[in-house]
């Protein structure tokens, strides 16, 4: 393995580079959506982006770097945390926003790749953790505010509550392949809120 | 594609066939565990099972049939539903049994394959749904008994409760890659029970 340009080196001046970069990353996501990680080749990505293969290899050392970069770009998109001054609507908005992200075409490509054979690429496994950690970090203040307003027990564990909110959505997407829509989001919010109010998501939790 | 022997044709008399069959299916699961679906070849399976490649092709027409059959065999294992006469311990036992299945080496191979690029094989997507439907069917009586004993609201939706129980376990296995153990199972049981008792898992659920 020879050292290639760092895939996360986004600041270097490349002339028309940003356009090429955007086209190649968009083509990578499109290839992931269409054929999955196993079928993705640099050739196909270059063809779809309308660039020469050598242009791709000048910036990304292999298809793994390309996929990591395409997914990372998608993850970096800013997701604002809701602040409706009521925990019920805040949780519902968080859940609906997750549903929108995950059911969009790009979201589906992202999740499919993160769970596909690509997960054997360590950088992609790391990225999956980073994706979720980032979402947690952005959403924690929503729970903290609800606790401050006295809408949730003082001991509520924000991370446990946020995972309880997200879990049924991922579960339906990945395991049961049921329709995932606003009702799914609202159901998830209602369940997480009931559990939190009952103290079932308090920290520290009892051990058996 | 020429017609091959049906992979689910388990009853035909094949002499030493059952042993060969078991060895090939075990080798298939081992290959899935080791290298994943994308890397699995009939050659490697035959080599690991200590049989000739033609022996494999005599029984399975391609690697997809082989994988579907290996996963199906694993799924067919009977999982008894608990009956401890208390919903708390019943839910905990259901969750712990799911954790045991999914964290065992074979369970991990099964789940990894079902979510890998193999999911583009329609038979494998079907199998995933069958796996979960089968678990639901076996577990519904547990919830029905709890409702009869008055431990859960009369309107409790058994499937929603069982999905709420399973979701955080799959979520931690697949998304956050956290340790999944008895505490995870017990936490999941406590959350699902609190939500059910609060009526958040009642049927019909309110729509927005």
């Amino acid at each position: 393995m020879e050292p290639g340009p760092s895939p996360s080196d986004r600041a270097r001046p490349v002339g028309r580079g940003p356009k090429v970069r955007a086209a190649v990353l968009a083509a990578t996501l499109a290839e992931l959506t269409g054929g999955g990680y196993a079928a993705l080749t640099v050739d196909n990505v270059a063809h779809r982006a309308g660039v020469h293969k050598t242009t791709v290899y000048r910036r990304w050392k292999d298809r793994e770097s390309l996929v990591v970069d395409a997914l990372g770009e998608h993850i970096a998109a800013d997701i604002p945390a809701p602040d409706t001054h009521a925990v019920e609507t805040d949780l519902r908005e968080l859940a609906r926003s997750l549903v929108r992200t995950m059911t969009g075409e790009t979201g589906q490509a992202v999740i499919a790749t993160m769970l596909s054979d690509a997960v054997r690429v360590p950088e992609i496994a790391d990225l999956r953790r980073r994706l979720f950690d980032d979402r947690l970090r952005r959403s924690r203040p929503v729970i903290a505010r609800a606790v401050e307003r006295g809408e949730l027990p003082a001991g509520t564990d924000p991370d446990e509550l946020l995972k309880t909110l997200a879990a049924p959505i991922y579960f339906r997407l990945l395991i049961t392949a049921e329709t995932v829509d606003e009702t799914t989001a609202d159901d998830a919010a209602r369940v997480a809120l009931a559990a939190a109010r009952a103290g079932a998501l308090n920290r520290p939790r009892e051990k058996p």
Side-chain angles (χ1 to χ4, degrees), chain A residues 65-144:
Chain A
S65 326
L66 196 54
V67 169
V68 166
D69 220 13
L71 297 178
E73 193 88 329
H74 178 72
I75 288 162
D78 195 56
I79 305 155
D83 191 6
T84 64
H85 306 283
V87 67
E88 238 161 326
T89 41
D90 274 1
L91 290 183
R92 210 181 294 156
E93 192 38 55
L94 275 178
R96 287 182 180 189
S97 138
L98 180 62
V99 165
R100 278 192 299 269
T101 309
M102 288 303 152
T103 53
E105 194 170 277
T106 312
Q108 286 186 305
V110 169
I111 197 82
T113 306
M114 298 230 179
L115 292 164
S116 75
D117 288 316
V119 87
R120 291 172 188 271
V121 179
E123 289 82 358
I124 291 179
D126 289 350
L127 203 64
R128 188 185 53 182
R129 277 187 285 276
R130 264 169 43 207
L131 163 68
F132 197 73
D133 286 350
D134 189 56
R135 277 208 173 247
L136 276 184
R137 192 181 51 71
R138 290 172 198 274
S139 308
R140 272 180 207 128
V142 174
I143 312 306

Side-chain angles (χ1 to χ4, degrees), chain A residues 39-62:
Chain A
L40 184 133
T41 65
V42 171
D43 269 359
N44 291 347
V45 168
H47 186 256
R48 188 187 279 265
V51 302
H52 284 287
K53 195 171 148 180
T54 49
T55 305
V56 177
Y57 277 119
R58 211 174 299 134
R59 290 154 196 273
W60 292 274
K61 69 173 192 288
D62 51 26

